[in-house]
Amino acid sequence: MPTDEQRRLLKRAIACAFKVFIALRVGTLAWVLLLSLVGGRIPSEPDVLCRTSTLLESNLQLGVGLSAWLRWDTVCYLMIAETGYAAHPGLTVWPPLYPLLIRLFSFVFMPPILAALVISSLATWVAFFLLYLLVTHSHNETTAKNTLFLYAVYPFAFFLIAGYTESLFLALVIGCFLLARKKDWVWAGVLAGLATLTRNQGILLSAVLLWEGMLQYRERQSLHRKDIFKILFASSLPALAFAAFALYIHNGLNAGWPWDTLSAIWGQYSGFPWEGVIGNLRQLLTLPRSQDLYWLPTTVLDLILAILIPIVLIIHRRAIRSTYLIFAWLLLFIALVKLGPENTLVSFPRYMIAAFPFFVAITPAVNTRYARLAILGICLMLQAILLSMFYIWSWAG
């Protein structure tokens, strides 16, 4: 049974997570409503693979509170939820858990776009709650509160509450780590497997859970044979989940392997970690004569974060548990080697949302009032710009 202090901690974690989540949810909604009222550039859907015209939502009169989020990857998830992977071979790069949850939630929340937003919202609250507990366990509650603050003002934070998988993936990853620290290996492995069925990057948890098991052995200097079996079982589940999904796509649907589809249809491929950084820098140094520089803010932010995040992780390597650092470094590596057609980074800052050790490491930057206000102002301005670009179909994240 939890002690009185533990119960009080849980209440504080729930309350703080809810306040931060509400601030993010209400703030983004208010900005979207303002964009719809002000006007300007009329949102015009580009000719992309996942078009809203293929969805049942196209026959409904959606208010701006829902239609504003019917963008880019969200459309693909809804297509999978409503018609399955057979709708288009390009959809097979997305694992099935989030679309499956959308389909299940749609029995209560209609239309499906509402179900997608409800799932992301609940997952964001849960992720913030679990992150508060995890950071408090390794640091203190002040650091936990500052970590949630930095998540809320992160320029790309609105993807946590959009119809994307970022919040669900983060919640499952944090839950996995909390359970592993408590030596509840079976459930830690289950959450790791579910994380892999949410985003393919979840397969990294196989190596991370093995490391955590080894770390606990070094700390305790002993592990029972049963514990070793549980650790091996837990660490195998992400790899098995990834293999099962890939085999289903390739053999069950007779489609290309997901990684082949990513290259053949979506024009994304793997390169050396430095190629994307060089590609972004080259793009900035050779600005085209075109006046439409919609890509400029994201290219600059991609470059800044690709340089900043490794530096922060190196500087604070002794202050954060090595298990979490390894996960962050692996995420960073995967994000850096994923390149677009122009040899540039692809969705790098969005993938880094799951790299929670970075957010924990930079909490000293908001310890003073003036620094906190400065970061709040700058980040909210960037968040408004990026959300505006997302809203008018200029940028997919």
Side-chain angles (χ1 to χ4, degrees):
M1 291 292 293
T3 64
D4 289 341
E5 179 54 35
Q6 289 173 332
R7 282 194 289 268
R8 287 193 290 269
L9 173 61
L10 290 175
K11 289 180 180 179
R12 292 194 297 270
I14 291 172
C16 183
F18 184 72
K19 290 176 184 177
V20 175
F21 155 69
I22 287 296
L24 180 60
R25 176 84 268 180
V26 173
T28 52
L29 178 59
W31 185 249
V32 165
L33 292 174
L34 181 62
L35 287 174
S36 66
L37 294 173
V38 171
R41 176 172 171 178
I42 299 175
S44 178
E45 184 177 5
D47 187 15
V48 291
L49 184 151
C50 299
R51 293 187 62 82
T52 57
S53 59
T54 62
L55 295 171
L56 295 179
E57 279 87 355
S58 61
N59 300 320
L60 300 174
Q61 296 298 319
L62 299 178
V64 67
L66 294 179
S67 62
W69 299 103
L70 200 61
R71 299 287 187 275
W72 304 107
D73 290 14
T74 302
V75 182
C76 299
Y77 290 123
L78 293 173
M79 288 174 63
I80 297 171
E82 294 187 16
T83 59
Y85 289 104
H88 193 286
L91 297 175
T92 56
V93 299
W94 282 285
L97 183 59
Y98 187 57
L100 177 61
L101 289 176
I102 293 173
R103 190 170 185 87
L104 292 175
F105 272 62
S106 294
F107 287 108
V108 178
F109 302 98
M110 284 294 292
I113 179 61
L114 175 59
L117 296 178
V118 168
I119 294 167
S120 294
S121 296
L122 290 174
T124 299
W125 186 10
V126 172
F128 285 170
F129 164 69
L130 296 177
L131 186 59
Y132 189 103
L133 296 179
L134 186 73
V135 177
T136 299
H137 183 269
S138 57
H139 293 76
N140 52 60
E141 288 194 65
T142 299
T143 303
K145 292 175 182 177
N146 287 340
T147 300
L148 295 194
F149 169 79
L150 288 169
Y151 257 101
V153 302
Y154 184 56
F156 302 81
F158 60 88
F159 283 110
L160 286 168
I161 55 173
Y164 277 57
T165 58
E166 266 59 36
S167 57
L168 180 60
F169 182 68
L170 180 63
L172 290 169
V173 166
I174 301 298
C176 168
F177 285 142
L178 280 171
L179 290 170
R181 290 299 302 274
K182 293 180 178 179
K183 303 175 182 60
D184 195 345
W185 290 105
V186 174
W187 282 109
V190 169
L191 291 191
L194 292 175
T196 307
L197 294 176
T198 302
R199 296 189 67 86
N200 291 322
Q201 291 92 332
I203 194 175
L204 301 174
L205 292 169
S206 282
V208 176
L209 286 176
L210 273 177
W211 176 265
E212 175 63 23
M214 186 183 75
L215 199 61
Q216 291 188 19
Y217 168 74
R218 289 169 56 188
E219 292 170 349
R220 296 168 56 195
Q221 293 299 316
S222 67
L223 276 179
H224 297 297
R225 184 176 300 175
K226 188 161 109 179
D227 294 327
I228 296 174
F229 173 77
K230 288 180 179 179
I231 293 169
L232 292 175
F233 173 75
S235 61
S236 70
L237 289 182
L240 289 174
F242 180 82
F245 171 65
L247 287 171
Y248 167 73
I249 294 299
H250 187 67
N251 296 332
L253 300 181
N254 294 318
W257 295 106
W259 50 89
D260 290 334
T261 301
L262 192 65
S263 174
I265 296 181
W266 294 99
Q268 298 176 13
Y269 59 95
S270 299
F272 291 107
W274 55 84
E275 285 188 67
V277 175
I278 295 174
N280 276 44
L281 186 59
R282 183 187 301 114
Q283 192 175 46
L284 292 173
L285 294 175
T286 57
L287 292 176
R289 295 181 180 179
S290 169
Q291 297 299 312
D292 190 1
L293 299 179
Y294 64 89
W295 51 268
L296 186 58
T298 57
T299 303
V300 172
L301 287 173
D302 284 3
L303 186 60
I304 292 174
L305 289 172
I307 296 172
L308 177 64
I309 292 176
I311 293 174
V312 169
L313 293 179
I314 291 173
I315 293 175
H316 295 272
R317 64 189 182 279
R318 298 186 184 280
I320 298 174
R321 189 171 178 82
S322 61
T323 302
Y324 309 150
L325 278 177
I326 289 173
F327 177 69
W329 277 109
L330 290 174
L331 273 181
L332 177 67
F333 177 78
I334 294 297
L336 286 174
V337 302
K338 186 177 182 181
L339 305 177
E342 302 297 325
N343 265 26
T344 54
L345 297 170
V346 177
S347 303
F348 178 83
R350 177 162 62 85
Y351 294 148
M352 287 297 98
I353 289 176
F356 64 91
F358 166 70
F359 294 88
V360 177
I362 60 174
T363 52
V366 294
N367 280 341
T368 65
R369 179 183 178 186
Y370 293 109
R372 192 181 187 91
L373 289 174
I375 289 175
L376 176 65
I378 294 171
C379 288
L380 289 185
M381 179 186 67
L382 292 173
Q383 197 174 121
I385 293 172
L386 295 171
L387 183 54
S388 301
M389 294 170 61
F390 181 82
Y391 173 73
I392 63 174
W393 290 97
S394 287
W395 168 69

